[in-house]
Amino acid sequence: MTGNRIRTNPDESQYRLILTIVNRGFADEVMDAARDAGAHGGTVLYARGSGVHEMQKFFGITIEPEKEVVLILVDVESRDQIMKAICKGAGLNTEGRGMSFTLPVDDVMGIVHLMKGADATEPP
């Protein structure tokens, strides 16, 4: 397998994964806000919520609304700007609307468009 790979110490990672969980139908708002703030794209996964705000009764049956999880890989320098845009664009300051958080990324492959000029190495 060939390709560029960036491996870093998690404390020194130059990339972050922004995870945003919203009610179904709001992933487009998340992606639009992220793109406007400089994100290159993302991935939407479908999920089911089970928190206190998600449980609703319908004819005596508990319904857990469907969720969308938006994954966006960003460089560490643009993380705050993109997260703030997502929070504003998707209305995450409204109770029960969703949440967003980041995780450090310590190993990346396949993001050639983001790695231009980076010190990328071939995989072992």
Side-chain angles (χ1 to χ4, degrees):
M1 178 181 197
T2 62
N4 292 330
R5 172 183 246 161
I6 293 180
R7 261 194 192 161
T8 61
N9 178 330
D11 295 331
E12 300 170 359
S13 175
Q14 65 187 38
Y15 295 103
R16 295 291 185 269
L17 179 65
I18 299 175
L19 291 101
T20 305
I21 304 167
V22 292
N23 293 325
R24 188 165 189 175
F26 289 94
D28 287 339
E29 291 181 16
V30 172
M31 283 308 309
D32 289 345
R35 275 193 208 99
D36 289 347
H40 296 272
T43 300
V44 177
L45 306 174
Y46 296 99
R48 185 177 54 156
S50 63
V52 67
H53 295 288
E54 285 75 35
M55 300 266 232
Q56 299 175 359
K57 294 278 187 175
F58 184 73
F59 292 116
I61 300 170
T62 301
I63 298 173
E64 298 175 11
E66 293 179 354
K67 301 288 184 185
E68 293 173 330
V69 180
V70 182
L71 309 173
I72 304 171
L73 185 67
V74 300
D75 58 72
V76 70
E77 291 84 20
S78 60
R79 175 195 55 197
D80 291 341
Q81 175 182 331
I82 293 171
M83 282 193 72
K84 287 176 184 176
I86 289 170
C87 187
K88 183 178 179 183
L92 299 184
N93 288 327
T94 302
E95 186 174 342
R97 188 74 181 262
M99 64 183 283
S100 187
F101 58 94
T102 66
L103 296 173
V105 175
D106 62 349
D107 199 359
V108 179
M109 292 182 74
I111 56 166
V112 178
H113 66 285
L114 292 179
M115 293 172 27
K116 290 180 182 170
D119 182 25
T121 60
E122 287 292 318

